[in-house]
Amino acid sequence: MPYFITVLIAYQDGCVVGCTQLYPSFSSVSMKRIWILNDLFVDAPYRKQGIAKLLMSAAEQFARETGAIRLVLSTQISNI
């Protein structure tokens, strides 16, 4: 079954406060799915509340549920 970009969204009080995007990839060595977590964003007023951790946990759970062998974080070194 093909997979497409997956977007996980965090809501608080009915508002979008954060998101992450997962891009599908594939390991030719192990012949298994890989997910690349390319974007992780939490709106400034909602940072330091654990929302990013919840998004990362949801991404990990999604990767497991789709049979992935790996979840790879791809970000700029200067991304604070």
Side-chain angles (χ1 to χ4, degrees):
M1 176 178 187
Y3 288 95
F4 302 95
I5 294 171
T6 298
V7 179
L8 303 174
I9 300 173
Y11 292 92
Q12 187 169 322
D13 299 324
C15 297
V16 174
V17 297
C19 65
T20 188
Q21 292 185 20
L22 303 171
Y23 295 85
S25 188
F26 191 78
S27 169
S28 59
V29 174
S30 63
M31 300 296 290
K32 302 243 180 185
R33 170 148 325 276
I34 296 171
W35 286 101
I36 301 169
L37 194 156
N38 197 47
D39 299 303
L40 176 63
F41 175 78
V42 176
D43 198 16
Y46 298 94
R47 293 179 186 163
K48 306 283 186 194
Q49 298 179 29
I51 294 169
K53 286 182 183 180
L54 290 172
L55 285 166
M56 291 290 291
S57 292
E60 181 181 4
Q61 180 180 345
F62 177 80
R64 289 181 193 277
E65 290 173 358
T66 58
I69 60 162
R70 195 165 33 237
L71 177 62
V72 180
L73 177 63
S74 178
T75 186
Q76 294 292 327
I77 293 171
S78 62
N79 187 347
I80 56 170

